């Protein structure tokens, strides 16, 4: 025997205005969807902000390479102009082989041959050396901006020395660099920009002795030199 179907009892507050049963399930689904979309847009906005900060703050938008503020500052250093000025001012010495200019992208190295600067075993500048240094300083003093550094390197030949003044080539090379530095100070170059370094015979231009151990005077003159390096401090 089949039991008659009995309608489910519905409370009055579950009926809508038409007396029909009212379900809130669609509202739950709608709120879940809105919440998910809101979370998605928050994450998307966060990712977009991180990418913008990365591009603007640390990368070049055209090359996508890391920015180097020090290198960007160097672009204002007039390397080409200074190189031309020095070539013009020191043309006689360059022509005579007493001076060589070695221009790099962010520095210039001036190599002064020893026979125009010092006698063997001595650190006192010769008149020709003083003239070259003073004209070099005049050109450097004209630079603008003045945000460069100067490293003055002293080098000797390989002949060992021991005199009343110098115990070895290390002391001699350092004294030579310091003496040249004093002319930069007199020329108005700030002491904060200057450094003197002595290297003895550790960085020769070429070997100054032949296979029998005999010294080669011409090569000794090249190794007995001063190098003035204009550069940017990292």
């Amino acid at each position: 025997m089949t039991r008659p179907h009995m309608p489910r009892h519905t409370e009055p507050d579950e009926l809508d205005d038409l007396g029909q049963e009212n379900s809130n399930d669609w509202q739950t689904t709608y709120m879940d969807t809105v919440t998910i979309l809101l979370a998605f847009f928050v994450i998307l906005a966060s990712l977009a902000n991180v990418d913008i900060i990365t591009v603007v703050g640390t990368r070049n938008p055209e090359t996508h390479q890391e920015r180097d503020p020090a290198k960007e500052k160097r672009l204002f250093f007039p390397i080409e102009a200074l190189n031309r000025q020095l070539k013009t001012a020191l043309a006689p010495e360059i022509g005579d082989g007493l001076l060589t200019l070695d221009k790099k992208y962010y520095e210039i190295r001036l190599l002064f041959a020893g026979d125009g600067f010092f006698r063997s075993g001595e650190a006192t500048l010769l008149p020709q050396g003083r003239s070259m240094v003073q004209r070099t300083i005049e050109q450097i003093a004209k630079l603008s901006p003045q945000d460069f550094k100067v490293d003055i390197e002293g080098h000797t030949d390989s002949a060992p020395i021991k005199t009343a003044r110098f115990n070895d080539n290390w002391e001699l090379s350092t004294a030579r660099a310091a003496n040249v530095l004093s002319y930069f100070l007199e020329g108005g170059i700030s002491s904060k920009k200057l450094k003197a370094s002595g290297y003895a015979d550790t960085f020769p231009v070429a070997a100054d002795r032949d296979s029998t151990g005999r010294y080669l005077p011409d090569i000794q003159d090249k190794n007995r030199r001063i190098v003035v390096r204009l550069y940017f401090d990292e």
Side-chain angles (χ1 to χ4, degrees):
M1 179 175 178
T2 303
R3 298 181 61 184
H5 174 70
M6 299 295 293
R8 184 176 66 86
H9 176 71
T10 304
E11 295 296 332
D13 58 352
E14 295 183 90
L15 299 179
D16 58 15
D17 293 339
L18 298 177
Q20 296 177 339
E21 184 179 348
N22 181 23
S23 174
N24 293 327
D25 291 344
W26 68 272
Q27 294 180 356
T28 302
T29 302
Y30 175 79
M31 293 301 297
D32 288 345
T33 302
V34 170
T35 301
I36 292 172
L37 287 174
L38 180 61
F40 172 77
F41 284 115
V42 169
I43 294 173
L44 186 62
S46 299
L47 292 175
N49 288 337
V50 169
D51 188 57
I52 290 172
I53 292 173
T54 301
V55 171
V56 174
T58 64
R59 293 183 181 273
N60 185 319
E62 295 181 358
T63 62
H64 300 288
Q65 295 178 350
E66 295 295 330
R67 291 178 56 194
D68 186 341
K71 288 184 177 180
E72 290 176 1
K73 184 182 74 171
R74 292 171 182 167
L75 295 177
F76 298 99
F77 186 60
I79 288 288
E80 293 291 348
L82 175 61
N83 193 54
R84 290 193 297 269
Q85 293 170 13
L86 292 174
K87 280 186 175 180
T88 300
L90 302 170
E93 288 79 9
I94 295 174
D96 292 339
L98 299 175
L99 170 64
T100 302
L101 295 184
D102 183 16
K103 181 181 71 66
K104 304 297 185 183
Y105 194 63
Y106 293 125
E107 73 174 24
I108 294 180
R109 297 176 66 88
L110 298 89
L111 288 77
F112 297 93
D115 56 354
F117 266 63
F118 309 103
R119 292 188 177 92
S120 180
E122 296 183 4
T124 303
L125 269 175
L126 296 173
Q128 187 178 34
R130 288 198 301 271
S131 175
M132 284 191 284
V133 168
Q134 288 167 349
R135 280 183 286 155
T136 300
I137 294 171
E138 289 174 2
Q139 299 302 321
I140 294 174
K142 296 177 183 178
L143 284 177
S144 179
Q146 292 278 315
D147 55 354
F148 57 88
K149 297 293 182 68
V150 181
D151 184 8
I152 302 167
E153 303 174 359
H155 300 266
T156 69
D157 57 43
S158 65
I161 67 164
K162 186 173 179 61
T163 66
R165 185 175 180 186
F166 305 113
N167 288 320
D168 51 32
N169 279 326
W170 288 103
E171 292 185 5
L172 175 59
S173 63
T174 303
R176 286 175 172 173
N179 284 347
V180 173
L181 184 145
S182 66
Y183 286 93
F184 277 77
L185 291 173
E186 292 175 6
I189 305 299
S190 170
S191 60
K192 295 180 180 180
K193 301 179 183 295
L194 299 173
K195 179 175 69 172
S197 307
Y199 292 97
D201 61 334
T202 55
F203 296 101
V205 172
D208 55 17
R209 284 188 286 183
D210 61 18
S211 59
T212 65
R214 184 180 60 181
Y215 286 103
L216 305 173
D218 291 342
I219 305 301
Q220 283 183 294
D221 285 341
K222 293 181 180 179
N223 288 337
R224 191 170 58 247
R225 69 198 188 278
I226 285 291
V227 177
V228 176
R229 184 169 68 95
L230 300 172
Y231 70 102
F232 276 91
D233 188 7
E234 299 290 349

